[in-house]
């Protein structure tokens, strides 16, 4: 027989009727069930603290309070939740180290500390806790070292134009009549690369598409993945190394499709490659079907929600979504999978419950969970298997599998298990914004949901029959979920993208109901009906919902765009991020320690001096900019958006000062040599040194300080507020004259000398290849009054090692100069 309320009260009273423990006896732990019963027995009491004081004496000293709180956290199993955090920190420390230890050393140390941790588990204390922390950090570093050592990626060493032959692995529409291919490189000609990458991305414009599995051949310009635009910014070489992409490039014209080679090449691969090629064709067909049914950007966004193809979306729509805080909708993230899996889970369970007597005979909840599990597996296949999608898939799979074992599907333990799986398989993901933002949002939502569920249960008993309770609960849940998701990812958005959406909370509150109620359910129904040709109606409903979402994004974006935060100090980012995790993982007063870390990080972020460099130089030597307050004066009228956009966000620039054109100071081309130069002496005649110096001095003297004056295709010059004379050279024949006049010379060429005889700083392609982008600060204590901050320090790490390769000698040039003054200078006339 079920217990009556009277039986529950009597049993609960018997359970709590015992004498308080003496002061010298260890503090007894009070289970959550006892707390709940106590509140049920004494509803008139304003709080539970007085009743708990009767059954458990409160500790009076801080050590006792800390010990009591830690015992309560341990009883709930919360120490386990910190293992992913410690392993992630170990991986980050290894990736960020200049000369990290090798795999063998880390493996031996990890084994030793694991044995010590197991031996000390029976004797808990500070020593045991310290050993476990050290073991977790070592495991994270070991996982990172193993992944790096096992990566077969070969990064292209320098830009090159070559004729390539390769097999198409996948393709994606990238704007009007343009395609982006992922190509498995098979052969290169004219020239033949000595270190060819295995896989590359190739952009093809104004040409008919080639099918997946076909072999193409054509002339292309290939470049290695770019490094950080400034020190502390995202290293795209790191991302490409672990994604297996060794080069990026674009084709000259339409590549030739080798007749009869498509099917043969596709068949020569392994069974896994053939299966992936088939999935890529299937995925592309789904995207084409969606875009054909839903016109415009709404169709491109709908295809992106299903297949992760975002390049067909218009730039204006992407800008509106990002400025309104809805850019996360485009990624196949945890939100998309949760909405899709939740829709199928609830819908299938509701449909099965309508069958009379079925719910009493079979576990319909587990059947619905199995259906949702099959659906998310199908979703990850058609989405292309992106890294962010795989992380979300692992998390959803663990939560659905928990249903089979009658465990809570939404819990911090499941989030921790998903993080452990990802860190073991793909530890490099921990340093990217995708992993950090997705798990931060998930952690905040799960922790907030647990506390909200407790308060909701209490409020439900107090409110009784309230007809508006459901509406208030829905609105409150929407507001709190948007608030927690936005606040928890703010620090990562500021650290990785250096900006925050001004009205992101408003955009999410207005758009998320439409996405969760209309867009994702309609998309799920469309995918289920597409094999039968009945997907037109649900796709149209999905398109209408996306149009509403775009209208909301444009409205919110019109209120204000992104708020620039600039580069955050690494210490501030670490303190705020770790403090936020501690707040979510702990439930006692120890969570206040997390708030303390967050407060300390905010103080460092606000009080740290925001020093801007006087001059920034891109790693290719083609772009340089003077920084004066919030204005940037570059040597390009239209600087590359990819690089200059990162400078704008990191340095909080508000305006761009274009250079002044001085075509009247162009040096005339010297007469050709007699006889004409042969193939062995293929050099253009040099400019007269005196005329070049005179022209440069006029260019500097007649120019405006703090603004570049440029002679097209020859050079640009200016004088900074620090008094530096800066010259950027495009024609390599003018480097020697620039060295004689300027203090800083920037060029994308490789002169035969590595330094200027005048002592000027020569930032040539050879130097920038090893240092990456440069920042120059005025510092009287440094030589030349300049402090140089490179974007990269050392080239020992595998994703930077290719920069030290010399293709002429087919060897790594570890002794190459990395800064000025390291090689005997050569006279300028020899250039």
């Amino acid at each position: 027989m079920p217990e009556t309320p009277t039986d529950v009260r009597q049993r609960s009273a018997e359970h709590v009727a015992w004498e308080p423990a003496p002061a010298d006896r260890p503090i007894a732990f009070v289970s959550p069930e006892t707390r709940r019963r106590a509140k049920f027995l004494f509803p008139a009491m304003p709080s539970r603290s007085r009743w708990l004081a009767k059954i458990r004496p409160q500790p009076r000293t801080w050590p006792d309070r800390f010990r009591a709180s830690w015992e309560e956290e341990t009883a709930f199993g919360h120490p386990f939740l910190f293992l992913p955090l410690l392993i992630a920190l170990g991986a980050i420390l290894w990736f960020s180290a200049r000369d990290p230890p090798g795999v063998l050393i880390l493996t031996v140390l990890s084994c030793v500390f694991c044995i010590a941790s197991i031996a000390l588990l029976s004797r808990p204390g500070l020593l045991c806790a310290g050993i476990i922390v050290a073991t977790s950090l070592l495991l994270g570093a070991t996982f990172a070292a193993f992944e790096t050592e096992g990566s077969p990626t070969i990064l292209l060493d320098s830009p090159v134009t070559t004729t390539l032959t390769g097999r198409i692995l996948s393709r994606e529409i990238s704007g009007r009549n343009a395609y982006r291919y992922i190509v498995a490189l098979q052969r290169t000609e004219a020239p033949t690369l000595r270190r060819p990458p295995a896989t590359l991305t190739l952009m093809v414009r104004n040409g008919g598409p080639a099918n997946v599995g076909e072999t193409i051949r054509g002339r292309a310009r290939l470049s290695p993945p770019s490094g950080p635009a400034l020190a502390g910014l995202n290293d795209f070489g790191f991302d490409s190394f672990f994604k297996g992409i060794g080069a990026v490039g674009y084709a000259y014209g339409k590549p030739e499709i080798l007749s009869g080679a498509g099917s043969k090449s596709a068949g020569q691969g392994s069974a896994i490659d053939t299966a992936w090629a088939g999935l890529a064709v299937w995925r592309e067909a789904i995207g084409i079907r969606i875009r054909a049914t839903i016109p415009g950007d709404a169709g491109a966004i709908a295809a992106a929600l299903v297949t992760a193809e975002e390049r067909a979306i218009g730039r204006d729509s992407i800008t509106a979504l990002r400025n309104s805080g809805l850019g996360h909708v485009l990624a196949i993230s945890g939100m998309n999978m949760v909405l899709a899996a939740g829709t199928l889970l609830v819908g299938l369970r509701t449909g099965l419950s309508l069958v009379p007597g079925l719910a009493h005979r079979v576990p319909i909840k587990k059947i619905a969970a199995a259906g949702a599990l099959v659906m998310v597996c199908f979703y990850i296949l058609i989405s292309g298997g992106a890294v962010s999608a795989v992380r979300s898939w692992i998390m959803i799979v663990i939560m659905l599998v928990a249903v089979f074992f009658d465990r809570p599907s939404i819990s911090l333990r499941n989030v921790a298990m998903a993080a452990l799986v990802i860190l073991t398989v793909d530890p490099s993901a921990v340093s990217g914004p995708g992993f950090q933002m997705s798990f931060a949002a998930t952690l905040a939502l799960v922790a907030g949901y647990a506390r909200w569920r407790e308060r909701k249960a209490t409020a439900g008993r107090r409110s009784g029959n309230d007809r508006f309770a459901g509406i208030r609960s829905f609105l409150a849940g929407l507001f709190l979920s948007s608030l927690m998701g936005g606040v928890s990812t703010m620090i990562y958005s500021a650290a990785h993208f250096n900006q925050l959406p001004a009205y992101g909370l408003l955009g999410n509150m207005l758009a998320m109901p439409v996405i969760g109620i209309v867009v994702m359910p309609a998309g799920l129904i469309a995918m289920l009906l597409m094999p039968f040709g009945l997907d037109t109606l649900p796709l149209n409903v999905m398109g209408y919902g996306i149009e509403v979402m775009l209208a909301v994004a444009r409205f919110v974006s019109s209120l204000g765009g992104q708020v620039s935060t600039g580069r955050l100090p690494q210490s501030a980012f670490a303190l705020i991020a770790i403090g936020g995790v501690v707040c979510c993982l702990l439930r006692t007063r120890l969570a206040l320690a997390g708030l303390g870390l967050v407060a300390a990080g905010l103080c460092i972020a606000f009080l740290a001096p925001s020093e801007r460099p006087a001059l920034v130089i891109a790693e290719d030597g083609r772009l340089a900019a003077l920084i004066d307050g919030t204005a940037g004066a570059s040597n390009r009228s239209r600087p590359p958006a990819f690089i200059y956009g990162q400078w704008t966000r990191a340095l909080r620039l508000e305006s761009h000062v274009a250079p002044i054109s001085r075509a009247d100071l162009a040096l005339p081309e010297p007469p050709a040599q007699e006889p004409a130069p042969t193939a062995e002496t293929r050099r253009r005649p040099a400019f007269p040194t005196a005329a070049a110096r005179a022209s440069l001095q006029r260019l500097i003297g007649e120019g405006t300080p703090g603004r570049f004056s440029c002679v097209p295709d020859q050079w640009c010059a200016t004088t900074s507020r620090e008094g530096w004379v800066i010259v950027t050279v495009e024609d390599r024949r003018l480097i020697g004259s620039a060295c004689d006049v300027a203090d800083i010379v920037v060029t994308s060429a490789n002169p035969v000398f590595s330094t200027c005889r005048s002592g000027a700083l020569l930032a040539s392609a050879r130097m920038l290849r090893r240092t990456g982008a440069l920042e120059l600060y005025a510092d009287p204590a440094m030589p030349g009054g300049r402090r140089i901050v490179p974007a990269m320090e050392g080239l020992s790490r595998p994703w930077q090692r290719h920069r030290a390769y010399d293709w002429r000698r087919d060897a790594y040039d570890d002794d190459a100069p990395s800064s000025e003054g390291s090689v005997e200078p050569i006279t300028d006339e020899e250039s």
Side-chain angles (χ1 to χ4, degrees):
M1 292 183 61
E3 293 182 325
T4 64
T6 304
D7 297 332
V8 174
R9 290 187 178 90
Q10 291 177 354
R11 183 162 51 82
S12 301
E14 294 173 358
H15 178 74
V16 301
W18 47 278
E19 293 295 329
D24 57 348
R25 186 180 303 175
I27 300 171
F29 169 71
V30 181
S31 66
E33 182 67 13
T34 304
R35 294 173 181 264
R36 186 187 64 79
R37 291 171 179 171
K39 192 169 184 179
F40 179 75
L41 288 172
F42 306 98
M45 295 181 64
S47 66
R48 291 175 288 178
S49 59
R50 299 178 184 176
W51 180 83
L52 290 174
K54 296 180 179 179
I55 64 172
R56 185 182 66 177
Q58 296 296 316
R60 297 182 178 181
T61 62
W62 281 106
D64 291 338
R65 292 178 182 178
F66 175 82
R67 190 181 303 109
S69 299
W70 181 250
E71 288 177 357
E72 185 172 351
E73 298 288 353
T74 305
F76 279 100
H78 288 172
F80 168 77
L81 305 178
F82 284 89
L83 288 180
L85 175 62
L86 296 173
I87 293 176
L89 288 176
I92 291 176
L93 291 175
W94 192 90
F95 285 128
S96 59
R98 180 172 180 176
D99 294 308
V103 175
L104 181 60
I105 296 176
L106 289 173
T107 302
V108 173
L109 288 176
S110 297
C111 292
V112 171
F113 275 82
C114 284
I115 295 173
S117 299
I118 296 174
L120 292 174
L121 281 179
S122 59
R123 298 191 303 174
L126 292 179
L127 178 60
C128 178
I131 293 296
I132 292 177
V133 169
T135 304
S136 302
L137 294 174
L138 283 171
L139 286 176
T142 305
F143 294 155
F146 267 107
E147 183 187 20
T148 304
E149 192 71 20
S151 177
T153 305
I154 298 176
L155 297 179
L156 185 66
D157 53 273
S158 59
V160 63
T161 300
T162 183
T163 300
L164 62 85
T165 303
R167 182 168 58 90
I168 297 177
L169 301 179
S170 67
R171 71 176 184 179
E172 182 179 353
I173 297 178
S174 181
R176 185 176 180 180
N177 200 23
Y179 288 84
R180 177 179 177 269
Y181 298 98
I182 296 181
V183 180
L185 189 61
Q186 297 175 344
R187 185 171 61 257
T188 58
E189 305 170 80
T192 301
L193 303 183
R194 294 182 177 180
R195 292 180 65 257
T199 308
L200 55 90
T201 62
L202 186 68
M203 184 70 68
V204 179
R205 293 184 174 90
N206 301 323
N211 297 321
V212 175
E214 291 182 333
T215 300
I216 60 174
R217 182 178 182 273
R219 198 72 174 167
R221 178 67 173 177
L222 302 180
S223 302
S226 60
L230 291 176
L233 299 188
N234 185 42
D235 187 353
F236 296 93
F238 177 88
D239 300 335
S240 298
F241 178 80
F242 288 102
K243 290 179 181 177
I245 304 298
V248 295
Y250 57 89
Y252 292 110
K254 179 182 177 181
E256 175 189 2
I257 300 178
L258 301 183
S259 59
S263 58
K264 293 181 181 180
S265 297
Q268 289 174 357
S270 63
I272 297 178
D273 294 336
T274 304
W276 276 115
L279 286 173
V281 175
W282 192 17
R283 174 187 174 216
E284 183 182 14
I286 293 175
I288 293 174
R289 170 65 179 171
I290 294 175
R291 287 190 294 269
T293 306
I294 307 175
D297 283 346
I301 294 175
L305 293 176
V306 177
T307 65
E309 295 182 359
E310 303 179 15
R311 293 181 176 268
I313 306 174
R315 186 176 299 274
D316 294 338
S317 296
I318 291 180
T319 302
L321 290 172
R322 289 177 178 173
N323 290 342
S324 60
L326 296 173
H328 63 89
V329 176
L330 301 178
I332 305 296
S333 59
M335 185 202 72
N336 303 60
M337 287 199 174
V338 165
L339 290 176
T343 300
L344 185 61
L345 180 66
V346 174
L348 187 57
R349 186 179 181 184
T350 303
L352 293 176
S353 65
L354 296 178
V355 180
L358 183 62
H360 298 283
R361 296 193 299 268
V362 296
I364 60 174
K365 182 179 179 180
K366 296 181 179 180
I367 296 177
L373 184 60
V374 173
M375 189 277 301
V376 295
C377 292
F378 173 77
Y379 196 178
I380 190 63
L381 290 177
I382 65 173
S383 66
V387 178
S388 60
V390 172
R391 290 194 296 266
S392 304
W393 174 76
I394 292 174
M395 187 181 304
I396 299 300
V397 166
I398 290 177
M399 292 183 177
L400 291 175
V401 170
V403 177
F404 297 151
F405 298 95
D406 299 318
R407 303 292 298 174
S409 58
I410 302 178
S411 66
L412 292 175
R413 183 173 293 270
N414 289 345
V415 176
M417 292 176 63
L420 286 175
V421 172
I422 295 173
L423 290 172
T424 304
V425 177
D426 186 19
S428 61
V430 70
S431 60
F435 177 91
Q436 296 175 5
M437 296 181 74
S438 62
F439 271 96
T442 303
L443 188 62
L445 290 173
V446 171
Y449 171 74
R451 290 169 173 79
W452 170 257
R453 184 172 52 184
E454 294 177 359
R455 294 181 63 88
K456 184 179 178 182
T458 303
R461 288 194 297 269
R462 293 180 178 178
S463 60
N465 296 325
D466 188 353
R467 65 182 66 182
F468 299 106
I471 299 177
R472 287 201 303 268
S473 177
F474 172 77
L475 295 177
L478 175 63
F479 173 77
L480 290 177
S481 60
S482 301
L483 180 64
M484 288 185 295
V487 171
S488 62
T489 56
M490 275 186 178
I491 181 60
Y492 302 99
S493 179
H496 292 285
F497 308 114
N498 309 125
Q499 60 185 7
L500 295 172
Y503 296 95
L505 177 60
L506 176 62
N508 279 272
M509 288 188 62
L510 294 178
M512 288 309 298
V514 179
I515 298 172
I517 299 175
V518 179
V519 175
M520 293 306 297
L524 175 61
I525 296 173
M527 291 300 101
L528 295 177
L529 297 179
M530 187 173 288
F532 307 101
L534 304 175
D535 57 330
T536 303
L537 179 59
L539 283 179
N540 287 329
V541 173
M542 185 182 185
Y544 294 144
I546 294 176
E547 291 288 356
V548 174
M549 181 189 71
L550 284 175
V552 170
R554 295 188 183 102
F555 166 72
V556 175
S557 179
S558 65
L559 300 178
Q562 302 281 348
V563 177
S564 180
T565 61
R567 283 182 293 184
L568 291 180
Q570 294 294 330
S571 58
F573 171 57
L575 288 174
I576 297 175
I578 295 175
V581 173
V582 171
C583 288
C584 293
L585 296 183
L586 299 180
R587 57 181 296 159
T588 63
R589 67 185 65 187
L590 293 180
L592 297 177
L595 294 179
L597 293 176
V598 172
L602 291 175
C603 291
I604 294 176
F606 283 109
L607 298 179
S610 58
E611 184 183 10
R612 290 187 176 94
L615 176 68
V616 288
I617 303 172
E619 68 173 3
D620 60 357
R622 299 180 183 275
L623 178 65
L626 284 172
I627 308 301
D628 187 2
T630 59
S634 73
N635 62 331
R636 301 282 180 179
S637 299
R638 300 180 61 183
F642 179 72
I643 299 296
Y644 194 78
Q646 296 182 70
W647 290 358
T648 300
R649 294 188 297 270
L651 303 178
R652 291 182 295 175
L653 303 180
E654 298 177 359
S655 61
H656 172 250
V657 181
I660 302 173
S661 178
R662 293 298 307 270
D664 57 303
L665 297 180
L667 293 169
E669 189 69 27
Q673 298 178 357
E674 294 294 341
T678 62
E680 289 77 12
T681 60
R682 192 177 301 170
R683 288 186 179 181
R684 293 181 295 174
F687 291 103
T689 304
R693 291 176 182 172
S695 176
L696 179 58
Q697 289 172 350
R698 283 191 59 191
L699 187 66
I700 298 171
E702 298 176 6
T704 302
R707 184 177 184 180
F708 279 97
S709 299
C710 295
V711 177
D713 301 325
Q714 290 186 355
W715 49 16
C716 299
T718 187
T719 303
S720 69
R721 60 182 178 180
E722 292 80 12
W724 304 338
V725 177
I726 304 166
V727 178
T728 63
V729 182
E730 295 186 29
D731 194 324
R732 63 182 304 144
R733 294 173 294 174
L734 298 173
I735 298 177
S737 300
C739 280
D740 290 341
V741 177
D743 298 313
I744 301 172
V745 179
V746 181
T747 180
S748 60
N750 266 326
V752 296
F753 53 91
S754 59
T755 61
C756 295
R757 66 180 179 183
S758 62
L761 170 64
L762 177 58
S764 63
R766 183 183 295 110
M767 174 185 177
L768 294 172
R769 184 182 176 189
R770 300 182 64 85
T771 63
L774 294 179
E775 300 174 61
L776 277 69
Y777 296 84
D779 190 349
M782 300 297 293
R786 301 183 294 264
R787 176 167 56 90
I788 303 175
V789 178
M792 296 181 296
E793 296 183 359
L795 302 179
S796 59
R797 288 171 281 194
W799 52 90
Q800 298 172 346
R801 183 69 173 161
H802 63 283
R803 294 174 176 267
Y805 179 77
D806 186 356
W807 60 269
R808 298 174 182 83
R809 300 188 299 109
D810 192 19
Y812 289 94
D813 190 8
D814 291 331
D815 299 327
S818 59
S819 60
E820 55 180 321
S822 56
V823 171
E824 182 71 20
I826 303 176
T827 59
D828 297 337
E829 286 74 10
E830 294 181 13
S831 64

